Structure formats: structure tokens, C-alpha cells
Amino acid sequence: MDEATTHVGDVAQTVLETLPIIGRVFASRMRYVHEGTTAGHYALLHALALQPMSLGELAERMQVTAPTMSATVQTLVSRGWLERERSSDDRRIVIVRPTPAGVCILEEMCQQAQALLQEMLEPLTAEELSRVREGMEILRHLLESETAVAETASLPCASE
């Protein structure tokens, strides 16, 4: 293995080790926004803020089974964060979208997550902050181009 391959492998390993830590910290903080809120709820609200979807599309997007997604959606419907509506094209299809209360919860989650990250980044020097930002922008650009998901600019916390 040459030096460039080793370097790419090291970076890949660092990303793989870091992402679960970010997920755990984020999941922990989300529980404080609203009792019983999970990172999965955030991901679901985030996806639906981009575009209403059917239960099947949601299950596929979140990589869970249809019954699991149905139960999660029911939980968020009962909290008033999501609403279901039959498709006008095909009455067998149920479309799920966030309610105004769901959008508010998503905004609160975004604000809490940003506050947590700001607190964690506070000890870094200006140069370190610049390096972190540059690295994250590169990674985001790479991932967005890979998945063709550039719609996040319309989300409540995308520009914060």
C-alpha cells in the first residue's frame, strides 16, 4: 500500500470512528429538547421537512422495516408532530408530512444541537475551527454530490 492510500485509509477510519460519537452526543442532547425525543425522530422530521413521503418511502429512506416506520410515525402523529393524508392519486398510499408543531420541534432540535456543538467547539483555536469547518464542508460537498441531496438549504437549521 502506498502512502496516499494509507492516508486515505487513515482519514476513512477517522471518519468512521467520529460519526458514531457525533451520533451518540446528538442523540443524548435530543432527549432534552422534548421528553422521549430521539435522534431517529429528528432524522424523520428532517427528511419530511424536505419532502412529504409515503410510509414505504420513509421506511426505505430510514432503512427500517415498514412496521417499524409505521409505529414511529404513529408516535409522532400522537404527539401532533406529523400528519397522515391519503394520496389523491392512489387512496391506498398514505403521505406523511410534518405539522407546524413538528416543524417547531425540528427547529428546537436544530437550535439545541447547534448550541451543544458551539459549546464543544469553544475551546478550539481560530485555526482549529477553520480546519474543522473546511473539513466538514469538503465532506458535506462530497456526500451531497454522491447522494444528490442538495435540498437541505431549505431546512430550518441548514444555514445556521
Side-chain angles (χ1 to χ4, degrees):
M1 210 185 296
D2 66 8
E3 187 176 317
T5 305
T6 302
H7 181 68
V8 170
D10 291 344
V11 172
Q13 184 63 38
T14 300
V15 170
L16 290 173
E17 291 170 353
T18 304
L19 290 177
I21 295 168
I22 293 170
R24 282 194 307 273
V25 169
F26 185 72
S28 171
R29 186 61 168 234
M30 290 306 95
R31 285 191 277 274
Y32 296 108
V33 174
H34 188 279
E35 188 175 331
T37 303
T38 68
H41 296 158
Y42 170 81
L44 183 60
L45 286 167
H46 193 272
L48 290 171
L50 291 172
Q51 171 184 337
M53 291 183 235
S54 71
L55 284 170
E57 291 169 327
L58 278 172
E60 184 176 320
R61 174 109 180 228
M62 299 293 136
Q63 298 181 330
V64 298
T65 64
T68 297
M69 182 51 62
S70 183
T72 302
V73 165
Q74 178 54 43
T75 297
L76 299 186
V77 166
S78 69
R79 291 182 185 176
W81 299 351
L82 295 179
E83 61 186 4
R84 294 184 186 113
E85 181 181 308
R86 294 265 174 212
S87 169
S88 57
D89 296 334
D90 185 341
R91 301 293 296 161
R92 296 170 296 176
I93 297 175
V94 175
I95 303 298
V96 182
R97 64 177 32 91
T99 64
V103 172
C104 286
I105 288 294
L106 177 60
E107 289 172 353
E108 286 179 42
M109 290 176 168
C110 288
Q111 290 168 0
Q112 289 290 323
Q114 184 172 353
L116 171 65
L117 289 170
Q118 282 179 234
E119 188 179 301
M120 293 172 65
L121 295 169
E122 191 80 23
L124 298 181
T125 66
E127 181 185 339
E128 290 169 328
L129 285 170
S130 179
R131 288 172 43 206
V132 168
R133 182 180 187 145
E134 182 180 317
M136 294 305 294
E137 286 173 352
I138 291 168
L139 187 59
R140 181 178 63 198
H141 177 75
L142 175 68
L143 295 173
E144 284 178 343
S145 66
E146 284 292 316
T147 60
V149 179
E151 303 92 11
T152 56
S154 64
L155 290 176
C157 58
S159 63
E160 297 176 337

